[in-house]
Amino acid sequence: MEKRGSFSNVRGFILASVGSAVGLGSIWRFPYLVGDNGGAVFVAAYLCMVLLVGIPVLLAELAIGRSSQSNVYGAFRKLAPGSKFPWHWAGGLAIITCVFILAFYTVVSAWVTGYMFEAIRGTFSKLETPAQAAKLFESLTASPRWVLPFQVLFFAATALIVAHGVKKGIERSCEILMPILGVLLLGLAIWGALLPGGSEAFTYLFKPNSQLTTRGLAEALGQAFFNLSIGMGVMITYGSYLKKEENLLRASISIVVFDTLVSFLSAIAIFGLLFSMGGKPVGGSDLVFKVLPVFFPRMWGGQFFAVLFFGLLALTALAATISLLEVPVSYLVDERKWTRKKAAWTTAAASFLFLGIPCALSPGPLANFTWFFRQTFFDFLMFVSSNILLSVIALATTLFVGVAWGLRPARKAITEGSSAAAAVPAVVWKLLIWVVCPALIVLTLVAAATQYIQP
Ligand code: TRP
């Protein structure tokens, strides 16, 4: 049997989990959801969700992982051995959800990688307006010959790294990339904010002037989960590679702070640049792809920075896909006694063949194939995974902690090694895990479900 992996120290763990959290979710998804949902109200709703639900669930997941030292499926069984309720089904669902997310996430990763190559070829130098960039985006992403090779490349890179295990593969690759991307984003944000008209981005992002829609509410929580990589066992799995004495509160706060910072920087950069070009606030999943390519050619060394930006974005996406693949792989290795190599390649191949290809073809050949609740397969899989499945699993996780594992042992696991966490009164944990988290999750689940029932 293969030995279980582990991180070399807490720094390696924080790097890997920040690497999992920071990705396309912060840089591509956050800005366009803000645009879709009217700016500052969405930002405010998102922040509330992160604080009230994100942090407690993140802590709960890490504690479950570290205490059980086991994969998602095994963890639920190990911590509540006598329970009649099949909690480990939530683990099973988490494993499937990871395979779903992997399928559409690699499509966007393929677009990003493709854009890096287009930047190298100098395609963007001809672009003058966001409308032209949007057209280019449409024609590129509609072409299977352009998307599929990059997607295959992405799946292969992910499987290769995961097959190499926790320390060598995951830790090392995150260590170098994160700081460079951070500096680059900071530069873009400052640039965007300083351009004439660019500072409007702050008003747009931080001064509410519209109402939150039902869909906006559901998406705020979905994005909080998606962005922090919670609600599907990634943090349970990563937590299980941690030693007992590490400080979970510190780890969670680092994850949340970095992730939120990156989301905000990229929203400031994108909207600052958009407003400086006289654009109106818009959403749509092509937002990043239609703003940045127009902008890069206008700046000094633009081509170099474009290549660097899309290249790094592809690499952070890789840190995220690694964490996604790690969940099913750790299950197959622990419970089914597969080798790491076989587990990684088989899962990646299955996710690509059965789900990844239809997602990749959604903007092009399958664009009219919308019998999934009037959405393309890509949009459907993304909405169901991030707004429904992540919430269901997170709900199961909080109920599991509150009911089956027990608040006392859970609190003990969370506060071990952290005096700050110990200082939070038990009643606050109780309120969060028993009332606030489940109530908000159920509310947003209902909100998400109504999106489908509407005629
Ligand atoms: N958090 C990543 C991002 O923002 C995506 C991601 C990686 C993810 N692992 C996850 C989302 C697990 C949900 C669950 O890009």
Side-chain angles (χ1 to χ4, degrees):
M1 186 182 123
E2 291 211 7
K3 195 168 156 282
R4 288 202 95 232
S6 75
F7 291 115
S8 19
N9 51 31
V10 75
R11 197 170 145 267
F13 159 75
I14 290 181
L15 273 169
S17 24
V18 171
S20 160
V22 172
L24 301 174
S26 332
I27 299 167
W28 159 74
R29 203 161 181 270
F30 182 73
Y32 94 72
L33 286 179
V34 170
D36 272 346
N37 294 296
V41 273
F42 180 82
V43 175
Y46 171 77
L47 277 180
C48 290
M49 292 301 187
V50 166
L51 291 177
L52 290 175
V53 189
I55 295 180
V57 174
L58 182 55
L59 277 171
E61 284 202 11
L62 289 176
I64 292 175
R66 188 176 61 172
S67 301
S68 64
Q69 296 281 311
S70 161
N71 64 87
V72 246
Y73 189 83
F76 287 103
R77 270 209 296 217
K78 229 172 179 170
L79 293 182
S83 178
K84 289 209 192 63
F85 190 82
W87 294 105
H88 54 278
W89 287 5
L93 193 59
I95 293 169
I96 297 170
T97 308
C98 282
V99 178
F100 285 1
I101 297 194
L102 209 48
F104 70 78
Y105 204 89
T106 49
V107 174
V108 187
S109 310
W111 298 344
V112 170
T113 318
Y115 263 59
M116 183 186 77
F117 281 99
E118 297 302 331
I120 295 175
R121 290 175 45 194
T123 313
F124 305 143
S125 58
K126 297 181 224 71
L127 297 174
E128 310 237 306
T129 62
Q132 287 172 355
K135 224 185 226 131
L136 174 74
F137 176 78
E138 259 167 47
S139 73
L140 288 175
T141 52
S143 154
R145 275 207 319 229
W146 186 79
V147 182
L148 286 173
F150 292 124
Q151 196 191 11
V152 170
L153 188 76
F154 226 85
F155 264 113
T158 309
L160 194 71
I161 296 180
V162 171
H164 272 94
V166 180
K167 261 188 219 142
K168 268 192 287 178
I170 303 180
E171 243 183 82
R172 203 176 292 163
S173 33
C174 294
E175 194 154 5
I176 316 160
L177 309 174
M178 291 293 136
I180 312 180
L181 185 80
V183 172
L184 199 61
L185 261 181
L186 186 67
L188 280 176
I190 294 177
W191 194 308
L194 289 182
L195 281 172
S199 59
E200 259 177 69
F202 288 100
T203 323
Y204 179 64
L205 290 171
F206 301 114
K207 205 163 153 230
N209 65 352
S210 58
Q211 290 217 318
L212 190 66
T213 57
T214 317
R215 188 178 178 107
L217 178 72
E219 290 198 314
L221 184 68
Q223 175 63 7
F225 285 157
F226 189 90
N227 215 356
L228 296 172
S229 304
I230 51 184
M232 11 186 260
V234 167
M235 292 302 166
I236 295 184
T237 309
Y238 275 13
S240 79
Y241 300 139
L242 263 185
K243 299 193 198 83
K244 288 274 187 241
E245 58 285 353
E246 317 290 13
N247 182 337
L248 294 186
L249 187 66
R250 181 145 38 113
S252 320
I253 290 180
S254 324
I255 297 171
V256 170
V257 167
F258 277 116
D259 202 38
T260 309
L261 213 62
V262 171
S263 300
F264 280 19
L265 280 182
S266 85
I268 293 170
I270 304 284
F271 286 106
L273 297 176
L274 182 69
F275 293 153
S276 77
M277 294 186 288
K280 298 238 165 342
V282 280
S285 53
D286 56 353
L287 183 62
V288 168
F289 297 96
K290 72 184 181 205
V291 173
L292 291 177
V294 187
F295 179 73
F296 279 123
R298 301 182 180 189
M299 73 192 242
W300 177 84
Q303 190 176 7
F304 169 76
F305 283 112
V307 175
L308 190 67
F309 178 82
F310 286 110
L312 286 171
L313 196 50
L315 290 171
T316 60
L318 188 60
T321 53
I322 290 167
S323 73
L324 287 164
L325 186 60
E326 182 62 27
V327 175
V329 166
S330 100
Y331 161 74
L332 292 169
V333 171
D334 281 359
E335 308 275 325
R336 306 267 148 173
K337 312 293 173 227
W338 287 25
T339 62
R340 218 166 217 289
K341 208 162 149 194
K342 176 175 162 200
W345 288 101
T346 314
T347 317
S351 175
F352 171 66
L353 289 176
F354 298 116
L355 302 164
I357 294 179
C359 282
L361 301 186
S362 286
L366 297 183
N368 296 324
F369 201 58
T370 52
W371 44 268
F372 307 97
F373 296 94
R374 304 178 301 278
Q375 290 178 307
T376 63
F377 188 69
F378 176 96
D379 289 334
F380 170 75
L381 202 63
M382 183 159 77
F383 189 79
V384 167
S385 312
S386 41
N387 293 351
I388 297 184
L389 294 172
L390 290 188
S391 300
V392 169
I393 299 162
L395 183 63
T397 309
T398 55
L399 293 178
F400 172 80
V401 169
V403 179
W405 189 19
L407 263 180
R408 196 165 299 158
R411 177 161 181 260
K412 188 162 169 286
I414 291 173
T415 50
E416 227 162 354
S418 162
S419 50
V424 178
V427 59
V428 174
W429 293 121
K430 212 183 239 176
L431 209 65
L432 283 173
I433 293 291
W434 270 350
V435 184
V436 177
C437 290
L440 281 176
I441 296 176
V442 169
L443 184 75
T444 50
L445 264 175
V446 173
T450 56
Q451 292 301 310
Y452 279 119
I453 303 163
Q454 270 169 12

